[in-house]
Amino acid sequence: MMKSKMSKRKSLYMALSLLVAVVIWIYVDVSNDRVVTKEFKDIPIEFTYEDTVLADRGLMRLEEGTDTSLSVTLEGTRWNIAKLDPSDLKVRVDLSTVTTTGVQNLTNYKLVFPRGVSTSDYKQVDASAYMVRVNIGELNSKEVEIRAEYVGSVAEGYTAGELVLSPAVIEIRGQAESIEPVSYAMVTINLDNAESTVSQSLNYQFYDKNGNVIEDSAIHASVEQVQATLPVNMTKELPLTISFIESPGASEDNVSWEIQPKSIRVYGDADRLRAIDSISLGEFNLANLRSSSEYNYSIPIPEGCENLSGVTWASLKASFKDMTSASLIASQFVCENVPEGKNAEVLTEELEVVIFGTADDVAAVSGADILVVADLTDYSAAAGGYTVPARVLVETSGDIGVSGTYQVRVNIRELTEENEPNHTGE
């Protein structure tokens, strides 16, 4: 029993020793500077200047008769050869020197290594061919229209607008037998109950005049995708509104008003109309309203929308619910903005003032509640008698407005010791 265990342990040690030896041998073999060669097979060929220089010359590369891959043998250290991934290699062929049609053998090809790999670590010592065969034919072109088909529909209550495709036509290039059968290209737009404008970059498919799909890799198009934009519209009833500018004695709470029509139906882009709740006719200054009046306004329509109601003008009828006016005699006067070093005296003793407001507020005002303020802002260099603008203040708690503009007579004099300041009407 003891011998059996010792035998198994000895075998395990021998196996581990052998594995370590192999690993060490592989590491030494790979990491040393030993030069080896290796064949890399079926490296794909990439052609350059095909859609530019070659196409400008009215030529094109044909798939049939053209090499698609190449095998090369590279020399390098065992470590460098081992770390090179064959799938990252490619052969690049320059077509800018091609000027004629037919099968041609080109020697101006280049082996392209992956990014980050130093080409100086490798040397090409052999290849399956030292020339790349390419078949060149005449390039033909034509324009075909883009058509669209729809999958699904817009959401209920919405309508689709006019589809815009960019480009609306595409140029296709190729051999005559490849491009002549092409009648149009088709894109498919998925609406999926859309509630807003649909904008998609779409692939397309070629069709012949009978509606049959054309699958031909020899057809080259000017664009890879088509941008499709389908506006999604909606109809919305928008109320008409107006903004009132209030002033003393003329508040919105004291106004009865009506707009006709009250609203209009508008049709347009769903995204735009979704954010609009009303149409404003503008502003109206209530200080200009004295009795029942009617005012007309042009109805502004949101940009890009259509007025389905057909009404282009709206009328505003407005009147104060309770409005009266009264003339009172003011006898209190003061001056403001009196020039420095000057004395001002109001010569006007009484001034008739017209006030307005609700009947109760107007009835509560007397001449003693009115103060007339003469403004001397523009008379800094003046001396003598002047007629100057004045403000009328109604010093009551009611909502009272003042009608009209007012002036008072003022005498302005240089200030002396005998002439003390007097800025009132006393």
Side-chain angles (χ1 to χ4, degrees), residues 340-354:
E340 186 177 355
K342 299 288 182 69
N343 180 52
E345 177 185 5
V346 178
L347 302 179
T348 302
E349 297 182 355
E350 291 185 342
L351 183 66
E352 184 177 5
V353 174
V354 178

Side-chain angles (χ1 to χ4, degrees), residues 169 182 211 236 246 260 289 330 416:
V169 296
V182 179
K236 191 171 185 179
E246 298 181 306
Q260 286 295 337
L289 181 63
T416 63

Side-chain angles (χ1 to χ4, degrees), residues 138-151:
E138 290 186 0
L139 178 67
N140 294 271
S141 65
K142 66 182 286 190
E143 288 188 341
V144 295
E145 67 170 329
I146 305 292
R147 299 180 184 178
E149 65 176 356
Y150 301 98
V151 175

Side-chain angles (χ1 to χ4, degrees), residues 60-377:
M60 67 173 293
R61 178 179 60 86
L62 304 179
E63 300 288 343
E64 184 178 357
T66 296
D67 290 336
T68 59
S69 64
L70 193 68
S71 297
V72 299
T73 300
L74 298 179
E75 179 183 89
T77 65
R78 182 178 294 275
W79 172 253
N80 286 333
I81 291 294
K83 72 178 183 179
L84 186 61
D85 190 343
S87 63
D88 289 334
L89 294 173
K90 57 186 173 183
V91 173
R92 183 171 294 161
V93 179
D94 183 352
L95 297 181
S96 64
T97 59
V98 176
T99 58
T100 60
T101 61
V103 176
Q104 303 173 44
N105 293 312
L106 304 180
T107 59
N108 57 337
Y109 72 81
K110 178 182 179 182
L111 182 63
V112 180
F113 288 85
R115 180 176 296 180
V117 173
S118 175
T119 57
S120 61
D121 292 337
Y122 304 91
K123 178 181 179 182
Q124 182 177 331
V125 295
D126 196 9
S128 59
Y130 288 94
M131 293 183 292
V132 174
R133 184 180 60 175
V134 59
N135 189 11
I136 303 297
E138 290 186 0
L139 178 67
N140 294 271
S141 65
K142 66 182 286 190
E143 288 188 341
V144 295
E145 67 170 329
I146 305 292
R147 299 180 184 178
E149 65 176 356
Y150 301 98
V151 175
S153 61
V154 297
E156 185 177 354
Y158 296 81
T159 57
E162 183 177 354
L163 175 66
V164 176
L165 297 174
S166 180
V169 296
I170 60 173
E171 181 186 36
I172 58 174
R173 296 175 174 180
Q175 292 287 283
E177 58 268 25
S178 294
I179 68 173
E180 283 305 320
V182 179
S183 178
Y184 60 91
M186 178 81 78
V187 296
T188 301
I189 303 174
N190 187 2
L191 297 181
D192 193 24
N193 291 317
E195 296 181 354
S196 59
T197 295
V198 177
S199 183
Q200 300 173 350
S201 294
L202 303 172
N203 296 323
Y204 51 83
Q205 180 69 59
F206 294 120
Y207 288 82
D208 64 19
K209 63 181 180 180
N210 297 318
N212 300 312
V213 175
I214 296 177
E215 297 282 1
D216 190 341
S217 59
I219 299 175
H220 303 276
S222 57
V223 296
E224 295 184 358
Q225 289 188 315
V226 172
Q227 183 68 34
T229 303
L230 181 69
V232 175
N233 300 323
M234 65 183 298
T235 300
K236 191 171 185 179
E237 191 82 16
L238 294 177
L240 303 181
T241 64
I242 195 162
S243 298
F244 290 108
I245 300 176
E246 298 181 306
S247 60
S251 65
E252 184 177 351
D253 292 339
N254 192 29
V255 177
S256 296
W257 59 275
E258 179 185 26
I259 296 176
Q260 286 295 337
K262 290 182 173 58
S263 63
I264 62 170
R265 293 177 67 238
V266 175
Y267 173 81
D269 182 78
D271 287 334
R272 184 182 299 276
L273 283 180
R274 196 176 290 117
I276 300 175
D277 295 323
S278 62
I279 295 178
S280 175
L281 299 177
E283 296 181 335
F284 183 84
N285 192 338
L286 292 177
N288 299 326
L289 181 63
R290 289 293 176 266
S291 60
S292 180
S293 302
E294 183 173 334
Y295 306 87
N296 294 320
Y297 294 86
S298 175
I299 302 175
I301 306 302
E303 183 180 356
C305 297
E306 180 183 352
N307 182 354
L308 298 183
S309 298
V311 180
T312 58
W313 288 84
S315 64
L316 167 68
K317 293 181 179 180
S319 62
F320 286 111
K321 301 174 185 176
D322 177 11
M323 178 60 65
T324 189
S325 62
S327 295
L328 298 175
I329 302 299
S331 58
Q332 298 184 76
F333 300 89
V334 296
C335 294
E336 65 179 3
N337 301 315
V338 177
E340 186 177 355
K342 299 288 182 69
N343 180 52
E345 177 185 5
V346 178
L347 302 179
T348 302
E349 297 182 355
E350 291 185 342
L351 183 66
E352 184 177 5
V353 174
V354 178
I355 63 171
F356 63 90
T358 64
D360 289 344
D361 286 344
V362 170
V365 180
S366 67
D369 299 317
I370 298 175
L371 177 65
V372 180
V373 182
D375 186 3
L376 302 182
T377 300

